[in-house]
Amino acid sequence: MARLATTADVFNAVAEPQRRRILNLLVRGERPVNFIAVSLRYKQPQASKHLRVLREVGLVSVRGAGQQRLYKLNGKGLKPIHDWAKTFESFWNESFDRLDDYLNELQKPEKSHERKE
Amino acid sequence: MSAKNNPTEEPSTEEFVITRVFDAPRELVWKAWTERDRLMQWFGPKGFTMSTAKMDFRPGGIFHYCLRSPDGKEMWGKFVYREIVAPERIVLVNSFSDENGGLTRHPMSPTWPLEMLSTTTFVEQGGKTTLTIKWKPLNPTEEERKTFDGAHGGMQQGWTGTFEQLAEYLAKG
């Protein structure tokens, strides 16, 4: 299981709504932790705790700039979720497309007396 | 414990919902779901074929299938039917499986709920049929619930900005 842990942790990390809010905030660009805390009205230790989780799963990166630590969204880290959602949705969308074709095919004999081609 | 005791925005597990309208009477859509040979005609993404399908369509019965991808990969899964109300509603437990029908984990996410409860409803109006499928995790562990909620958030909630950034990233190759 260890090999797959990272993928699983990304799902886990974004299951927490406060962490999703942080990610949405970081879409606008790199931000220091106190800006994040103030914007979202979290206490700084709380914001730091969430940022640590996000960093551990590779969803954000951090760099020091003078006395500040700037957090940045890492879009690549969201790929497992994107891939998963895409797989699930395309599974059903494509199945439904096929069902649609199949149902049309079944109903053809009754409806195709006036074929134009 | 009442749900009202929880004023925070911590999500309770919401169902994941997909819906589609088909230009066909309900009777026909129902058959396409509940008869093995018909289900084999369409179930699975484009280019996939169903290489194995055993169906025992009754409450407690099982549909066990194998989908083969265009590049030859096999994916086994099964439904265990719980409730059948013809031609309106099917409640079933959906899971990945091995070729013997044993439960297996999601190939991409080891903490994805082992079993999902899915409810499919068929509603006819004016000769068209609206099909709705709702999924939620069945007796999830805390970890499975979080995984489902995370993916759910990725799929159906306000993630537009974050996913746009991802799309940009992916477009760059």
Side-chain angles (χ1 to χ4, degrees), chain A residues 82-95:
Chain A
H82 178 82
D83 287 350
W84 188 92
K86 228 174 88 181
T87 306
F88 188 87
E89 288 191 321
S90 62
F91 184 101
W92 285 98
N93 283 332
E94 291 181 20
S95 287

PDB file of all heavy atoms in Angstrom, chain A residues 82-95:
ATOM      1  N   HIS A  82      -8.087  14.880 -10.395  1.00  0.00           N
ATOM      2  CA  HIS A  82      -8.571  15.213 -11.730  1.00  0.00           C
ATOM      3  C   HIS A  82      -8.727  13.929 -12.570  1.00  0.00           C
ATOM      4  O   HIS A  82      -9.754  13.702 -13.194  1.00  0.00           O
ATOM      5  CB  HIS A  82      -7.560  16.166 -12.380  1.00  0.00           C
ATOM      6  CG  HIS A  82      -7.894  16.551 -13.777  1.00  0.00           C
ATOM      7  ND1 HIS A  82      -8.781  17.556 -14.066  1.00  0.00           N
ATOM      8  CD2 HIS A  82      -7.463  16.071 -14.961  1.00  0.00           C
ATOM      9  CE1 HIS A  82      -8.882  17.677 -15.371  1.00  0.00           C
ATOM     10  NE2 HIS A  82      -8.085  16.793 -15.945  1.00  0.00           N
ATOM     11  N   ASP A  83      -7.701  13.096 -12.529  1.00  0.00           N
ATOM     12  CA  ASP A  83      -7.742  11.842 -13.301  1.00  0.00           C
ATOM     13  C   ASP A  83      -8.885  10.961 -12.833  1.00  0.00           C
ATOM     14  O   ASP A  83      -9.592  10.359 -13.624  1.00  0.00           O
ATOM     15  CB  ASP A  83      -6.432  11.069 -13.129  1.00  0.00           C
ATOM     16  CG  ASP A  83      -5.288  11.725 -13.891  1.00  0.00           C
ATOM     17  OD1 ASP A  83      -5.573  12.645 -14.691  1.00  0.00           O
ATOM     18  OD2 ASP A  83      -4.135  11.326 -13.688  1.00  0.00           O
ATOM     19  N   TRP A  84      -9.037  10.885 -11.504  1.00  0.00           N
ATOM     20  CA  TRP A  84     -10.087  10.029 -10.965  1.00  0.00           C
ATOM     21  C   TRP A  84     -11.456  10.515 -11.409  1.00  0.00           C
ATOM     22  O   TRP A  84     -12.275   9.759 -11.905  1.00  0.00           O
ATOM     23  CB  TRP A  84     -10.019   9.972  -9.434  1.00  0.00           C
ATOM     24  CG  TRP A  84     -10.964   8.943  -8.954  1.00  0.00           C
ATOM     25  CD1 TRP A  84     -10.710   7.633  -8.712  1.00  0.00           C
ATOM     26  CD2 TRP A  84     -12.364   9.122  -8.751  1.00  0.00           C
ATOM     27  NE1 TRP A  84     -11.861   6.985  -8.363  1.00  0.00           N
ATOM     28  CE2 TRP A  84     -12.889   7.875  -8.381  1.00  0.00           C
ATOM     29  CE3 TRP A  84     -13.238  10.213  -8.853  1.00  0.00           C
ATOM     30  CZ2 TRP A  84     -14.249   7.686  -8.099  1.00  0.00           C
ATOM     31  CZ3 TRP A  84     -14.578  10.028  -8.590  1.00  0.00           C
ATOM     32  CH2 TRP A  84     -15.070   8.777  -8.214  1.00  0.00           C
ATOM     33  N   ALA A  85     -11.689  11.824 -11.220  1.00  0.00           N
ATOM     34  CA  ALA A  85     -12.988  12.397 -11.569  1.00  0.00           C
ATOM     35  C   ALA A  85     -13.262  12.218 -13.063  1.00  0.00           C
ATOM     36  O   ALA A  85     -14.367  11.869 -13.474  1.00  0.00           O
ATOM     37  CB  ALA A  85     -13.040  13.877 -11.192  1.00  0.00           C
ATOM     38  N   LYS A  86     -12.220  12.402 -13.859  1.00  0.00           N
ATOM     39  CA  LYS A  86     -12.372  12.268 -15.304  1.00  0.00           C
ATOM     40  C   LYS A  86     -12.732  10.826 -15.672  1.00  0.00           C
ATOM     41  O   LYS A  86     -13.598  10.579 -16.498  1.00  0.00           O
ATOM     42  CB  LYS A  86     -11.057  12.662 -15.995  1.00  0.00           C
ATOM     43  CG  LYS A  86     -11.263  13.623 -17.141  1.00  0.00           C
ATOM     44  CD  LYS A  86      -9.939  14.095 -17.700  1.00  0.00           C
ATOM     45  CE  LYS A  86      -9.438  13.158 -18.778  1.00  0.00           C
ATOM     46  NZ  LYS A  86      -8.155  13.542 -19.333  1.00  0.00           N
ATOM     47  N   THR A  87     -12.055   9.890 -15.023  1.00  0.00           N
ATOM     48  CA  THR A  87     -12.322   8.481 -15.307  1.00  0.00           C
ATOM     49  C   THR A  87     -13.757   8.122 -14.956  1.00  0.00           C
ATOM     50  O   THR A  87     -14.461   7.493 -15.730  1.00  0.00           O
ATOM     51  CB  THR A  87     -11.362   7.590 -14.481  1.00  0.00           C
ATOM     52  OG1 THR A  87     -10.036   8.006 -14.747  1.00  0.00           O
ATOM     53  CG2 THR A  87     -11.510   6.128 -14.843  1.00  0.00           C
ATOM     54  N   PHE A  88     -14.172   8.550 -13.772  1.00  0.00           N
ATOM     55  CA  PHE A  88     -15.522   8.225 -13.313  1.00  0.00           C
ATOM     56  C   PHE A  88     -16.571   8.842 -14.233  1.00  0.00           C
ATOM     57  O   PHE A  88     -17.498   8.176 -14.689  1.00  0.00           O
ATOM     58  CB  PHE A  88     -15.711   8.738 -11.886  1.00  0.00           C
ATOM     59  CG  PHE A  88     -16.993   8.288 -11.245  1.00  0.00           C
ATOM     60  CD1 PHE A  88     -17.048   7.075 -10.584  1.00  0.00           C
ATOM     61  CD2 PHE A  88     -18.133   9.073 -11.312  1.00  0.00           C
ATOM     62  CE1 PHE A  88     -18.231   6.648  -9.995  1.00  0.00           C
ATOM     63  CE2 PHE A  88     -19.320   8.653 -10.719  1.00  0.00           C
ATOM     64  CZ  PHE A  88     -19.364   7.432 -10.052  1.00  0.00           C
ATOM     65  N   GLU A  89     -16.403  10.125 -14.513  1.00  0.00           N
ATOM     66  CA  GLU A  89     -17.395  10.809 -15.328  1.00  0.00           C
ATOM     67  C   GLU A  89     -17.402  10.287 -16.755  1.00  0.00           C
ATOM     68  O   GLU A  89     -18.455  10.087 -17.336  1.00  0.00           O
ATOM     69  CB  GLU A  89     -17.171  12.319 -15.301  1.00  0.00           C
ATOM     70  CG  GLU A  89     -17.559  12.884 -13.945  1.00  0.00           C
ATOM     71  CD  GLU A  89     -17.613  14.391 -13.918  1.00  0.00           C
ATOM     72  OE1 GLU A  89     -16.742  15.022 -14.552  1.00  0.00           O
ATOM     73  OE2 GLU A  89     -18.522  14.927 -13.248  1.00  0.00           O
ATOM     74  N   SER A  90     -16.223  10.041 -17.317  1.00  0.00           N
ATOM     75  CA  SER A  90     -16.230   9.576 -18.703  1.00  0.00           C
ATOM     76  C   SER A  90     -16.753   8.145 -18.783  1.00  0.00           C
ATOM     77  O   SER A  90     -17.399   7.783 -19.751  1.00  0.00           O
ATOM     78  CB  SER A  90     -14.872   9.732 -19.375  1.00  0.00           C
ATOM     79  OG  SER A  90     -13.912   8.968 -18.713  1.00  0.00           O
ATOM     80  N   PHE A  91     -16.528   7.353 -17.733  1.00  0.00           N
ATOM     81  CA  PHE A  91     -17.105   6.000 -17.719  1.00  0.00           C
ATOM     82  C   PHE A  91     -18.617   6.082 -17.935  1.00  0.00           C
ATOM     83  O   PHE A  91     -19.175   5.438 -18.819  1.00  0.00           O
ATOM     84  CB  PHE A  91     -16.811   5.291 -16.391  1.00  0.00           C
ATOM     85  CG  PHE A  91     -17.291   3.857 -16.348  1.00  0.00           C
ATOM     86  CD1 PHE A  91     -16.395   2.816 -16.543  1.00  0.00           C
ATOM     87  CD2 PHE A  91     -18.632   3.562 -16.126  1.00  0.00           C
ATOM     88  CE1 PHE A  91     -16.839   1.497 -16.522  1.00  0.00           C
ATOM     89  CE2 PHE A  91     -19.080   2.242 -16.101  1.00  0.00           C
ATOM     90  CZ  PHE A  91     -18.178   1.207 -16.293  1.00  0.00           C
ATOM     91  N   TRP A  92     -19.253   6.940 -17.140  1.00  0.00           N
ATOM     92  CA  TRP A  92     -20.718   7.004 -17.221  1.00  0.00           C
ATOM     93  C   TRP A  92     -21.203   7.795 -18.419  1.00  0.00           C
ATOM     94  O   TRP A  92     -22.187   7.412 -19.054  1.00  0.00           O
ATOM     95  CB  TRP A  92     -21.297   7.514 -15.902  1.00  0.00           C
ATOM     96  CG  TRP A  92     -21.212   6.407 -14.903  1.00  0.00           C
ATOM     97  CD1 TRP A  92     -20.254   6.227 -13.942  1.00  0.00           C
ATOM     98  CD2 TRP A  92     -22.059   5.248 -14.832  1.00  0.00           C
ATOM     99  NE1 TRP A  92     -20.475   5.037 -13.285  1.00  0.00           N
ATOM    100  CE2 TRP A  92     -21.569   4.424 -13.803  1.00  0.00           C
ATOM    101  CE3 TRP A  92     -23.187   4.834 -15.553  1.00  0.00           C
ATOM    102  CZ2 TRP A  92     -22.171   3.200 -13.462  1.00  0.00           C
ATOM    103  CZ3 TRP A  92     -23.788   3.627 -15.211  1.00  0.00           C
ATOM    104  CH2 TRP A  92     -23.287   2.826 -14.185  1.00  0.00           C
ATOM    105  N   ASN A  93     -20.521   8.880 -18.757  1.00  0.00           N
ATOM    106  CA  ASN A  93     -20.949   9.633 -19.934  1.00  0.00           C
ATOM    107  C   ASN A  93     -20.848   8.785 -21.198  1.00  0.00           C
ATOM    108  O   ASN A  93     -21.752   8.773 -22.020  1.00  0.00           O
ATOM    109  CB  ASN A  93     -20.129  10.915 -20.094  1.00  0.00           C
ATOM    110  CG  ASN A  93     -20.582  11.983 -19.120  1.00  0.00           C
ATOM    111  OD1 ASN A  93     -21.757  12.010 -18.711  1.00  0.00           O
ATOM    112  ND2 ASN A  93     -19.673  12.851 -18.719  1.00  0.00           N
ATOM    113  N   GLU A  94     -19.758   8.064 -21.307  1.00  0.00           N
ATOM    114  CA  GLU A  94     -19.578   7.235 -22.507  1.00  0.00           C
ATOM    115  C   GLU A  94     -20.531   6.048 -22.510  1.00  0.00           C
ATOM    116  O   GLU A  94     -21.051   5.652 -23.552  1.00  0.00           O
ATOM    117  CB  GLU A  94     -18.121   6.794 -22.635  1.00  0.00           C
ATOM    118  CG  GLU A  94     -17.212   7.967 -22.969  1.00  0.00           C
ATOM    119  CD  GLU A  94     -15.752   7.564 -23.140  1.00  0.00           C
ATOM    120  OE1 GLU A  94     -15.480   6.374 -23.385  1.00  0.00           O
ATOM    121  OE2 GLU A  94     -14.887   8.447 -23.025  1.00  0.00           O
ATOM    122  N   SER A  95     -20.773   5.471 -21.336  1.00  0.00           N
ATOM    123  CA  SER A  95     -21.758   4.391 -21.259  1.00  0.00           C
ATOM    124  C   SER A  95     -23.134   4.904 -21.683  1.00  0.00           C
ATOM    125  O   SER A  95     -23.851   4.242 -22.432  1.00  0.00           O
ATOM    126  CB  SER A  95     -21.851   3.830 -19.835  1.00  0.00           C
ATOM    127  OG  SER A  95     -20.712   3.067 -19.523  1.00  0.00           O
TER     128      SER A  95
END
